[in-house]
Amino acid sequence: IPSVSSIVPESCLLIVVGLLVGGLIKGVGEEPPILKSNIFFLFLLPPIILDAGYFLPLRQFTENLGTILIFAVVGTLWNAFFLGGLMYAVCQLSGPSLSHIGLLANLLFGSIISAVDPVAVLAVFEEIHINELLHILVFGESLLNDAVTVVLYHLFEEFANFEQVTIIDIILGFLSFFVVSLGGVFVGVIYGVIAAFTSRFTSHIRVIEPLFVFLYSYMAYLSAELFHLSGIMALIASGVVMRPYVEANISHKSHTTIKYFLKMWSSVSETLIFIFLGVSTVAGHHYWNWTFVISTLLFCLIARVLGVLVLTWFINKFRIVKLTPKDQFIIAYGGLRGAIAFSLGYLLDYQHFDMRDMFLTAIITVIFFTVFVQGMTIRPLVDLLAVKKKQETKRSINEEIHTQFLDHLLTGIEDICGHYGHHHWKDKLNRFNKKYVKKCLIAGERSKEPQLIAFYHKMEMKQAIELVESGGIGKIPSAVSTVSIQNINPKSLPVERILPALSKDKEEEIRKILRNNLQKTRQRLRSYNRHTLVADPYEEAWNQMLLRRQKARQLEQKMNNYLTVPAHKLDSPTMSRARIGSDPLAYEPKADSENLPIITIDPASPQSPDSADLMNEEPKGCGGLPPSPEEDEEGLVMRVKEPSSPGTDDVFTPGTGDSPSNQRMLRCLSDPGPRPEPEEGEPFIPKGQ
Amino acid sequence: LGCPLELTPHHLSASPTVTSEQIEHLHRRFKQLSRDQLTIRKENFDSIPDLEFNPIRGKIVHAFFDKRNLRQESEGLADEINFEDFLTIMSYFRPIEMNMDEEQLDRFRKEKLKFLFHMYDSDHDGKITLQEYRNVVEELLSGNPHLEKESARSIADGAMMEAASICVGQMGPDQVYEGITFEDFLKMWQGIDIETKMHVRFLTMETIAHCY
C-alpha cells in the first residue's frame, strides 16, 4: 500500500495544511495572516536561493548555460507576451465585465504568471531524482528568469500609468533588461570576492566564518534589490564566486556548519511559504470569473508546451547531446508556478489595478493546478516514460585524474587545430585564476595547491572519517578494499608512505577529528562488548600501576647496589595513576619506539596500511611510560620519562602534555583501551589488592 | 601540393561527418604547421605558443606520431606524418551523431578510449603499469614546481589501488596486480560518457591561431 508521501509531494501537503489552518482561523472569527510580499521577498526567499546557488553543480551549469539562458530569457518572454496578448483578446471578446482591462494590464498579468518558480521546482524535482541534465535545465531556467520577470514587471507597471507608450520607452525597457541582469551578477560577484577575501583572514576566529558567507550573500541580495536589479541573480553569483575560495580557507567544522544551516533555513522557508500560500488562499478576497481563470490556465499550458517545442528545435542545432522528446516533455511539464507569482500579484495596488483580486484568484488557481496536478503526476510519468534517473556515482581519484587529463588533452588538440573553443577559454580562465586570483583570496599554502591534490586531501579526510566511524565496531567495512600497496608494487617496502605530506594544520585537523571520534568509538566499543569479560578499567589501570610499582621496586633494589645517582622516588598514587591512565596502550614500548606511528586505529584493520598509518611524522616516542627495566640497558641512570606525560590531553601523542588534571585522568581511565596483552611470566594480580 | 579534398580516407568513411569544408580548414592548418612541407615532424609542434602551458604536451605530440593511433600495423614511432595521418588523428575527436546505432556507438567509444589508453601506456606493452601511471600524475602536476615528487607518487599509488579494487575486487596479500589492461581501462571509464566529452567542435574554424 503506497504511503501518502510517495504519491503526494510535500508541497501539496503543506498547502493543504495551510488551507486547514486558514480555515480554522477564519472559523474562529479571526483574520488569518496573508503572506505579505515584503516578508516573502526579504526573509523567506533568500535562504532558498542562497542554498541553491551555493551548492549549484557548476560544471553542468556552465556546460548547459546557453540552453538555460535561451529557455530562461526567450522562453519567459514568449510566455509573457503570448499569454498577455491572448488574455487581452479574451477580455475584449468576453463582454462587459472584462473588457475594461487594458492591454498593458494583461501583459503585466502575463509577465507575473509566466515565470517558472524555483521554489516549486526544487520542491517537486528533489523528490523525483531525475538525471542531472534535466534537473539543471529546469532549475537553472527557474533561477535565471528572475531577471526577465523583474524587468517586465516593473516595465509594465510603469507603462500602465503612462498615457502613451513610445518607441523610446520600449527600447529603454529592452536595455534595462541587460542592466538588471548584468548589474545583478556584477553586484553578486563583488560581494563574493569580498567574502572570499575576508575568509582569508579568519584562521584565528573560526567560529564566525559561517557568518560571513550568510552575511555577504544577504547583503548582495539587498543591495541588488535596492537598485531594482535582479536580487536572485546577485545571490547566485555571490554564492558561486565565493564558494571555491571560501572552502579552501575555512575549517572543516565551518564548512559543515554552513551546509547544515543553509539546508535548515531553506527547508524552513520552503515549508513556511507553502503553508502561507494555503492560508492566504483562505484569507484573501477572491473574485472568481470563470472565463478569465479557465482561459488563463489553458493558455499557460499551451504557451509552455509551444515554447519548449520551438526552442528545443532551435537549440538542438547547437547541442552535442540533443534533447529528446522525452526530455522536452519533462521540461514542459516541469514548468511549475509558485509563490513568487503570488507575491508579485499581491504587490499590485488597488488604485491602478482594480482587477487585482481577479488576478490573484487566477494566479492562485494556476499555482494550485501546477503544484497539485503536475506535481503529483510527474513522478508516475517519469517512471512511465522511463526517464533516466540520477546516477549515484562516487567521485573517485581515478575519475578526477582522467577528467583532468581529458581536459588538458582537448585543450591541446584545440590549440593544435588553431580553434579557440570552449576548452581553450576555460583553460585560460583557470590559468588566470591560479596565477592571480587564488593568491589574493586564499590564505597561505593552499593558494598554490593544485586541484588534484586538494581533491585527494578531501577524499582522504572523508575516508578517514568513514573508517573511524565504521571501523570502531571491530570489522573491516566491506567498502574498504583489502588491496594494499603490496598488491601493486611488491618491491616497495611496507613502511612506505602512502599519503602525500600534509601541511601542519591539515595534520592537526585530521588528528583532532580522529582523536575525538576514536575516543567515542572506544567508549562505544565498550558498550557493545558486554559479553566479553573486560575488566573494569579502573581496576585494570590499578593493576598495571601495581605491576609497575613492583617492577620499579625490584629495579630499585638492583640499582641501589650500583647507583651513584639516586633513583627517582615514585610519585604519589595519584600521579602514577594519572601517568598510567593516560596511556591506553598497555604494553611496554618496544625498543624501536621511534618507528611507531602515533595514531593507531585499533582493532579495526590490521592490514591496510593506508588506514592505520595516517601520520608518520617525525618520531615521538611513546614516552608515557617508564621504560621497561629489563630493556633499559643504560644501567646507571634510571630515566623516568615522567614530566611530560602525566595527564596528557592527547591520548595519542604522549609527550606533548600538560599538567595533570583530574578530569583528564577520568576521561583517560574511562577509555578502556585494548585488551591488555598479558606478559609472559607476569603473575596476574587478583582484584582487591 | 596535393590538397586531398576529393580524397576521403578509407578509415574516415565509416562516418561521413568530416565534411570537405572541415578537411579544407584542417589542411590549411596543416600547411601552416608544416611550413608548406608535405610532412610534419615533432619539432613543428613547438611553434604553437599556447601548447607551452599544457602540462601533457609531450604526450599529446607523441600521440600524433604513435603508429598504433595511425592504424598502421607496425609498432613504434613514426618520424613524420603527412596530412592523411593528421586527419586520422583528428578523426578520433569527431562528435557523436544522432543516427548511430548501438554497435556503432560502442565501436566509437572503444576507439576513443583506445586512443587515450595509448597515451597512458608509453612503453607500448598493452598495460598501464604503476610507473607509467605515476608518470601521468607527475606530468599533470608538473605545472606546480614547488611540489615534491612524493605527492604525485602517493596520488598515483592511491589511484592504482583503487583501480585494482575496481577491476579485480578483493585481493590477497600476495597477489600482485600487474597493470591496467585495456579491459580494465574500459571498466574504469564506465561512469564517464566519453562519446560526448571527447570531441572538438569543427563547426566554426575561422579563427586560425598563428604560429611563430
Side-chain angles (χ1 to χ4, degrees), chain A residues 27-131:
Chain A
V28 178
E30 295 286 326
E31 185 70 32
I34 299 190
L35 179 63
K36 297 225 173 33
S37 295
N38 65 334
I39 296 187
F40 174 74
F41 280 115
L42 287 181
F43 302 119
L44 291 179
L45 188 61
I48 302 181
I49 305 295
L50 180 59
D51 179 37
Y54 196 77
F55 293 110
L56 197 67
L58 199 58
R59 211 189 162 96
Q60 276 115 350
F61 188 71
T62 46
E63 276 174 16
N64 294 300
L65 193 60
T67 313
I68 294 178
L69 275 176
I70 290 188
F71 274 126
V73 177
V74 181
T76 312
L77 282 173
W78 156 258
N79 277 350
F81 281 103
F82 183 76
L83 192 68
L86 278 184
M87 288 315 293
Y88 179 62
V90 164
C91 285
Q92 295 303 313
L93 295 174
S94 77
S97 57
L98 293 179
S99 52
H100 65 283
I101 306 178
L103 175 64
L104 279 170
N106 276 306
L107 284 175
L108 179 60
F109 177 71
S111 68
I112 293 178
I113 196 124
S114 64
V116 177
D117 187 85
V119 181
V121 164
L122 259 182
V124 169
F125 270 48
E126 246 176 18
E127 301 186 2
I128 60 178
H129 299 300
I130 51 171
N131 61 57

Side-chain angles (χ1 to χ4, degrees), chain A residues 403-457:
Chain A
T403 317
Q404 278 209 9
F405 191 85
L406 199 58
D407 276 341
H408 286 301
L409 171 65
L410 291 172
T411 311
I413 296 284
E414 279 189 2
D415 290 332
I416 292 178
C417 285
H419 167 57
Y420 286 159
H422 177 60
H423 289 99
H424 179 92
W425 293 118
K426 208 159 81 152
D427 188 60
K428 265 215 160 103
L429 186 66
N430 277 337
R431 267 188 282 134
F432 173 73
N433 187 20
K434 197 160 96 163
K435 203 158 163 206
Y436 300 110
V437 184
K438 273 194 183 172
K439 290 225 175 83
C440 291
L441 298 180
I442 300 185
E445 275 307 304
R446 302 224 29 202
S447 61
K448 303 198 211 81
E449 200 178 49
Q451 195 192 348
L452 199 57
I453 302 244
F455 182 81
Y456 189 64
H457 282 170

Side-chain angles (χ1 to χ4, degrees), chain A residues 123-196:
Chain A
V124 169
F125 270 48
E126 246 176 18
E127 301 186 2
I128 60 178
H129 299 300
I130 51 171
N131 61 57
E132 289 173 342
L133 173 67
L134 285 179
H135 186 257
I136 199 70
L137 282 180
V138 182
F139 183 61
E141 178 198 344
S142 68
L143 287 176
L144 293 186
N145 67 16
D146 178 63
V148 180
T149 313
V150 165
V151 169
L152 285 179
Y153 181 80
H154 283 120
L155 220 56
F156 289 135
E157 207 187 14
E158 301 255 327
F159 285 0
N161 302 332
F162 286 4
E163 300 304 317
Q164 266 256 335
V165 180
T166 63
I167 289 288
I168 304 281
D169 296 324
I170 296 184
I171 292 185
L172 283 179
F174 181 69
L175 285 178
S176 75
F177 165 70
F178 288 104
V179 171
V180 164
S181 53
L182 293 175
V185 172
F186 181 67
V187 168
V189 168
I190 297 227
Y191 275 102
V193 168
I194 297 181

Side-chain angles (χ1 to χ4, degrees), chain A residues 79 113-117 120 300 304 335-339 341 366-367 370-371:
Chain A
N79 277 350
I113 196 124
S114 64
V116 177
D117 187 85
C300 260
R304 177 81 182 157
L336 307 174
R337 308 323 197 250
V366 174
I367 294 179
T370 56
V371 171

Side-chain angles (χ1 to χ4, degrees), chain A residues 538 541-542 545-546 549 570-581 662 665 669:
Chain A
Y538 189 89
W542 185 252
M545 190 218 72
L546 289 175
R549 240 201 213 156
L570 275 184
D571 297 335
S572 66
T574 327
M575 293 292 279
S576 349
R577 220 184 297 141
R579 188 168 60 244
I580 290 162
N662 261 345
M665 176 192 73
L669 284 182

Side-chain angles (χ1 to χ4, degrees), chain A residues 318 320-322 396 398 402 408 410 412 415-420 431 434 448 450 481-482 487 489 498, chain B residues 29 50 53-54 90 98 120 133 144 154 159 162 170-172 175-177 188-189 197 201 204 207 209:
Chain A
F318 299 99
I320 297 291
V321 181
K322 317 277 183 201
S396 69
N398 271 311
H402 292 323
H408 286 301
L410 291 172
D415 290 332
I416 292 178
C417 285
H419 167 57
Y420 286 159
R431 267 188 282 134
K434 197 160 96 163
K448 303 198 211 81
S481 99
T482 51
N487 296 108
N489 190 358
I498 306 300
Chain B
R29 180 64 174 173
D50 294 310
F53 296 111
N54 202 314
M90 285 300 165
M98 290 278 269
Y120 281 79
Y133 212 29
N144 308 275
S154 326
E162 196 189 86
Q170 306 287 350
M171 290 180 80
Q175 281 176 281
V176 177
Y177 184 61
M188 283 196 332
W189 277 86
K197 288 213 158 112
R201 283 178 202 264
T204 50
T207 47

Side-chain angles (χ1 to χ4, degrees), chain B residues 134-170:
Chain B
R134 277 184 186 166
N135 181 267
V136 168
V137 177
E138 266 165 26
E139 280 201 3
L140 275 180
L141 292 174
S142 61
N144 308 275
H146 63 280
L147 271 185
E148 323 162 346
K149 270 200 155 200
E150 203 46 50
S151 328
R153 265 184 31 187
S154 326
I155 293 184
D157 291 349
M160 196 72 171
M161 283 198 276
E162 196 189 86
S165 61
I166 293 178
C167 305
V168 185
Q170 306 287 350

